[in-house]
Amino acid sequence: MRTHTVDRLAAFVLGLEGLAVAALVGWQIWALAVGDTGSVQSAVALMVLTAVGAVAVLAFAVATWRGLSWGRSGGVVTQLLILAVALGAVTGAYASPTTGLALAIPGLIALVLLLFAV
């Protein structure tokens, strides 16, 4: 009999990531409200795209919790994107190793859990 412990852990980490992206939407709303944006149109477009991303990651978390393969697949793609952003954060003219690690550690944990959940 298959246990669902790894599925549940992967879903939990995905859920936390989804909530973090949703918090980013809140921060973007705040920045727009206090006038800390260069272009209102660009800020609104970015906010909408970020909200769509948050909903997607949370949907992947729910689907993974339920044992649906599309949730794990979406979660794996999400983790690969997170790891790409983390790599970008630690390289370049404005490198921030702390930010890169803050992104990479949960991304790696979730990726490993999602791969073992299969």
Side-chain angles (χ1 to χ4, degrees):
M1 183 173 177
R2 183 170 175 248
T3 63
H4 297 286
T5 305
V6 177
D7 293 7
R8 299 297 166 101
L9 287 172
F12 180 74
V13 175
L14 275 173
L16 290 178
E17 289 174 341
L19 291 175
V21 176
L24 183 60
V25 174
W27 175 73
Q28 291 171 332
I29 291 170
W30 175 257
L32 184 63
V34 298
D36 191 23
T37 59
S39 165
V40 172
Q41 294 85 358
S42 294
V44 170
L46 182 60
M47 198 179 339
V48 169
L49 290 174
T50 306
V52 169
V55 169
V57 175
L58 289 169
F60 297 151
V62 170
T64 301
W65 185 272
R66 293 181 178 173
L68 302 173
S69 64
W70 67 267
R72 290 189 302 273
S73 299
V76 168
V77 171
T78 300
Q79 301 321 303
L80 294 176
L81 291 171
I82 288 172
L83 292 173
V85 171
L87 179 62
V90 298
T91 60
Y94 302 104
S96 175
T98 306
T99 302
L101 279 175
L103 291 168
I105 291 172
L108 283 172
I109 291 170
L111 182 61
V112 168
L113 287 171
L114 286 164
L115 293 176
F116 280 114
V118 176

